[in-house]
Amino acid sequence: VIMYILLCGYPPFYSNHGAAISPGMKKRIRNGQYEFPNPEWSRVSQDAKDLIRGLLCTDPDKRLDIQQVAANKWVAENTLVPQTPLMSARVLREEEDVWMDVQEEMTNALATMRVDYEQVTNLKNLGQSNNALINRRRR
């Protein structure tokens, strides 16, 4: 996500309603739904986009690990920084006045994002559990 932001100036996942986090945005994150829209991505190489795809893969078994990232063509073959004019600086300057609000909303949203309360069913009461490991730890 950070690499995506550094290359274009905005995150890969967004809210359709202007909120920092929304149910639709959470769904897009879980499903790995993102794009590389123009003009911001028009000057970014296909190798860089392939790296982003590998890093944002929702299946942990298929997601790139650190060795694969280091061996990726875009990382391994580009030891010199190319003079590619990126859009991120312009985008970040345009949105500068709202960054504090976005930061606060993101902080609040991340506090609840780990748990999808819509999918949580009734949790068992540990006091009534008959789990062998829990019973050993009680002793």
Side-chain angles (χ1 to χ4, degrees):
V1 172
I2 293 170
M3 189 178 298
Y4 185 106
I5 294 169
L6 290 173
L7 289 171
C8 71
Y10 52 84
F13 309 105
Y14 56 88
S15 168
N16 286 330
H17 306 291
I21 295 280
S22 69
M25 180 179 177
K26 289 180 184 181
K27 183 178 179 182
R28 282 188 289 282
I29 291 169
R30 282 193 304 270
N31 294 332
Q33 295 174 330
Y34 59 92
E35 299 174 345
F36 298 110
N38 290 326
E40 296 88 358
W41 286 93
S42 63
R43 296 178 182 153
V44 177
S45 72
Q46 189 61 47
D47 292 332
K49 292 175 188 175
D50 291 342
L51 177 61
I52 296 291
R53 282 187 195 93
L55 291 169
L56 292 179
C57 182
T58 57
D59 183 346
D61 295 329
K62 294 179 182 175
R63 189 178 307 133
L64 297 179
D65 61 28
I66 190 65
Q67 287 83 18
Q68 293 168 314
V69 170
N72 177 275
K73 182 179 178 184
W74 188 69
V75 173
E77 293 182 6
N78 291 303
T79 55
L80 299 175
V81 178
Q83 294 301 314
T84 304
L86 299 175
M87 304 291 274
S88 52
R90 180 185 57 78
V91 171
L92 291 171
R93 274 194 305 277
E94 287 175 359
E95 305 290 330
E96 189 174 9
D97 58 325
V98 297
W99 280 115
M100 289 306 291
D101 293 337
V102 170
Q103 182 180 4
E104 183 179 338
E105 284 189 51
M106 292 297 288
T107 299
N108 294 335
L110 289 173
T112 60
M113 191 171 179
R114 298 271 184 233
V115 178
D116 186 353
Y117 292 103
E118 295 171 3
Q119 294 181 354
V120 173
T121 59
N122 293 331
L123 299 177
K124 291 182 179 179
N125 183 338
L126 288 180
Q128 298 172 353
S129 174
N130 200 18
N131 181 283
L133 178 61
I134 293 173
N135 289 336
R136 279 198 306 266
R137 291 187 176 175
R138 286 184 186 141
R139 297 180 192 154

